[in-house]
């Protein structure tokens, strides 16, 4: 599995533009690959191997805040076009609600922004996390923020 993301030229980002040579990097983590899910489903993920295995898939797609389409396999396409990545990188298929606060402290030249280094991609990011089923986004912020402190 390659984690190297291909740079997608702006003129080729739109899914309507033909690009037969497009070979995005698969960013599916090992624990979400079919072989791993057959042994154990992580607590943060659903067991469905594909969107076709999700019982309420049509309802999820219809209820998405950001509409998305499906590729020839029936997998969701990024709503903003090609990203250079493919695969399943989230716990459930379709839209995944997240709460990501922007925390700023200080003023002027003393202003600071809270960033974390993600364990999975080793890049800086704003802190936050996924909203649990039945949880409101503000409650997720209260739960997630102390985890990075």
């Amino acid at each position: 599995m390659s984690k190297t993301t291909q740079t997608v030229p702006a003129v080729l980002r739109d899914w309507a533009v033909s690009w037969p040579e497009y070979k995005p990097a698969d960013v599916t983590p090992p624990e979400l690959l079919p072989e791993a899910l057959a042994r154990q489903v992580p607590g943060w993920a659903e067991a469905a191997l594909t969107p076709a295995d999700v019982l309420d898939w049509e309802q999820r797609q219809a209820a998405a805040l950001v509409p998305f389409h499906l590729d020839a396999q029936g997998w969701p396409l990024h709503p903003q076009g090609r990203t250079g990545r493919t695969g399943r990188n989230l716990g459930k298929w379709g839209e995944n609600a997240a709460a990501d606060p922007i925390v700023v402290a200080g003023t002027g030249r003393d202003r600071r922004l809270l960033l974390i280094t993600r364990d999975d991609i080793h890049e800086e990011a704003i802190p936050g996390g996924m909203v649990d089923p039945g949880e409101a986004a503000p409650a997720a912020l209260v739960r997630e923020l102390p985890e990075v402190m």
Side-chain angles (χ1 to χ4, degrees):
M1 173 179 56
S2 170
K3 293 286 186 185
T4 304
T5 300
Q6 172 181 3
T7 300
V8 178
V11 297
L12 295 172
R13 286 194 189 123
D14 192 309
W15 292 112
V17 175
S18 177
W19 188 11
E21 302 82 21
Y22 180 58
K23 299 281 188 264
D26 189 338
V27 297
T28 305
E31 60 269 28
L32 293 181
L33 293 173
E35 315 80 60
L37 286 174
R39 289 189 308 273
Q40 176 185 357
V41 178
W44 52 270
E46 65 185 344
L49 296 178
T50 72
D53 300 320
V54 176
L55 297 178
D56 66 343
W57 180 242
E58 288 183 17
Q59 293 88 345
R60 286 186 195 183
Q61 190 176 7
L65 294 175
V66 178
F68 60 90
H69 301 285
L70 306 176
D71 68 11
Q73 293 177 257
W75 287 36
L77 291 171
H78 193 288
Q80 294 182 352
R82 295 181 179 99
T83 64
R85 295 185 268 176
T86 190
R88 177 182 174 187
N89 197 26
L90 296 171
K92 69 178 190 173
W93 288 100
E95 195 170 67
N96 285 252
D100 301 303
I102 297 175
V103 180
V104 179
T107 60
R109 302 190 108 181
D110 293 326
R111 184 173 298 161
R112 301 289 182 259
L113 175 68
L114 177 63
L115 296 175
I116 61 164
T117 301
R118 289 183 47 152
D119 292 335
D120 56 347
I121 60 173
H122 309 290
E123 297 282 339
E124 288 184 329
I126 57 176
M130 306 312 290
V131 177
D132 291 337
E135 182 180 40
L141 287 174
V142 170
R143 176 180 51 77
E144 289 284 347
L145 195 54
E147 292 178 13
V148 300
M149 304 309 271

